[in-house]
Structure formats: C-alpha cells, structure tokens
Amino acid sequence: MDISVLNSCLAIITLVLGAALIVYMYQAYKLVKQQSILLLMYGVFIIIIGIVLPDIVALFFQETFAWFWAEIFSRCLAIIGICVIIYSILRG
C-alpha cells in the first residue's frame, strides 16, 4: 500500500471521529447550555483541522514549500486549539 493512500485513509478516519466527537459535544452543550462546553468544542475542532491539514495539503500540492508551511500552520492551529481548550476549562 502506498504511503500517501495510507495517510489519506488515516486523515479521513481522523476527520470522521473528530466530527463525531464534535457532534456529541454539541449535544451536551444543548443540554446544559454552558459556554465552556461550546469553547471546548471549538478548541477540539481547531485541533482536528490542524491534525489533518498537512495531509490535505499533500493531496493537492506536491512541492516541499507547501508541505513546510502546512506543517508550520498545523502546529500553530494545534497551539491555538489547546489554548482555547485551556481557556474553556479556566472559564468554566
């Protein structure tokens, strides 16, 4: 199996599981109406996008320059997502 096919499959699995987690978090938010759960959901969403961003970029662009900046932006998204999650915990 080609490594790019494996990366694409793992990215799709990550997106599907992340989407399921976000749906469950939104259902919890609708029940309790706490802003901290909504912020937690946003943080998880940002982290999931950051996780799969390099794989998505690798599907569309073949140059190393795009991969490099996708990796950098991916790390930035993960840091932002973690900060949002920490803020949601401290605020709640």
Side-chain angles (χ1 to χ4, degrees), residues 16-50:
V16 168
L17 291 175
L21 179 62
I22 289 171
V23 166
Y24 290 133
M25 292 173 83
Y26 183 70
Q27 289 174 349
Y29 166 73
K30 286 191 331 187
L31 288 174
V32 296
K33 300 287 187 200
Q34 284 188 341
Q35 191 73 17
S36 61
I37 294 177
L38 194 60
L39 287 170
L40 181 67
M41 183 183 70
Y42 291 150
V44 170
F45 174 76
I46 293 170
I47 289 175
I48 290 169
I49 296 301

Side-chain angles (χ1 to χ4, degrees), residues 1-89:
M1 179 181 284
D2 193 315
I3 192 75
S4 63
V5 174
L6 180 62
N7 276 339
S8 299
C9 290
L10 291 175
I12 291 170
I13 291 170
T14 303
L15 282 174
V16 168
L17 291 175
L21 179 62
I22 289 171
V23 166
Y24 290 133
M25 292 173 83
Y26 183 70
Q27 289 174 349
Y29 166 73
K30 286 191 331 187
L31 288 174
V32 296
K33 300 287 187 200
Q34 284 188 341
Q35 191 73 17
S36 61
I37 294 177
L38 194 60
L39 287 170
L40 181 67
M41 183 183 70
Y42 291 150
V44 170
F45 174 76
I46 293 170
I47 289 175
I48 290 169
I49 296 301
I51 289 170
V52 298
L53 181 68
D55 298 322
I56 293 171
V57 168
L59 287 175
F60 296 110
F61 301 103
Q62 298 302 319
E63 62 266 2
T64 308
F65 182 78
W67 293 346
F68 172 77
W69 285 108
E71 289 286 337
I72 298 294
F73 195 62
S74 169
R75 300 297 185 264
C76 292
L77 283 175
I79 291 168
I80 292 169
I82 290 169
C83 289
V84 170
I85 290 173
I86 290 171
Y87 178 73
S88 75
I89 292 169

